[in-house]
Amino acid sequence: MNQKEHSLEMRGMPRRDLEEYFLSLKGKQVEPGNYRGPNWEVMLSEERTCTIGSLQIPATLVTFRVNEEDWAEMLKAFRLRFLSAGG
């Protein structure tokens, strides 16, 4: 199995929403900010505040370590779950 690492910066949602998502995928927290599931591992950075003009929004770096053949499906499900339109 060929595992690759991919990182995404997620802005606009609290870190705890990301944690709950990975736990809902049958992931287990192996240490703070590190979750492991079948064929994947995810590391979440500490939440920081990103300032854009006068707005302050939460930002978390999500680093995936996943089998290359599973990446496209995992990314699609992740993006669909956190899809949002501003307003």
Side-chain angles (χ1 to χ4, degrees):
M1 296 186 175
N2 187 17
Q3 284 202 331
K4 296 279 184 157
E5 196 168 281
H6 305 272
S7 295
L8 300 171
E9 183 176 53
M10 300 302 294
R11 295 182 179 179
M13 75 269 318
R15 183 177 188 257
R16 80 176 168 281
D17 290 354
L18 297 165
E19 293 170 338
E20 290 171 3
Y21 173 74
F22 292 113
L23 290 172
S24 77
L25 296 178
K26 308 282 191 253
K28 302 284 185 203
Q29 184 175 19
V30 293
E31 58 185 52
N34 193 341
Y35 298 84
R36 189 171 296 147
N39 301 319
W40 58 266
E41 184 175 347
V42 170
M43 292 153 284
L44 301 177
S45 71
E46 291 297 319
E47 182 177 292
R48 64 181 181 83
T49 300
C50 182
T51 303
I52 301 174
S54 62
L55 298 175
Q56 292 189 336
I57 57 175
T60 304
L61 182 66
V62 182
T63 303
F64 297 85
R65 189 171 298 133
V66 62
N67 293 333
E68 193 60 30
E69 59 272 9
D70 298 330
W71 172 239
E73 184 177 329
M74 186 170 195
L75 179 62
K76 181 180 176 183
F78 180 77
R79 290 205 184 270
L80 187 59
R81 166 58 183 86
F82 290 102
L83 180 67
S84 64

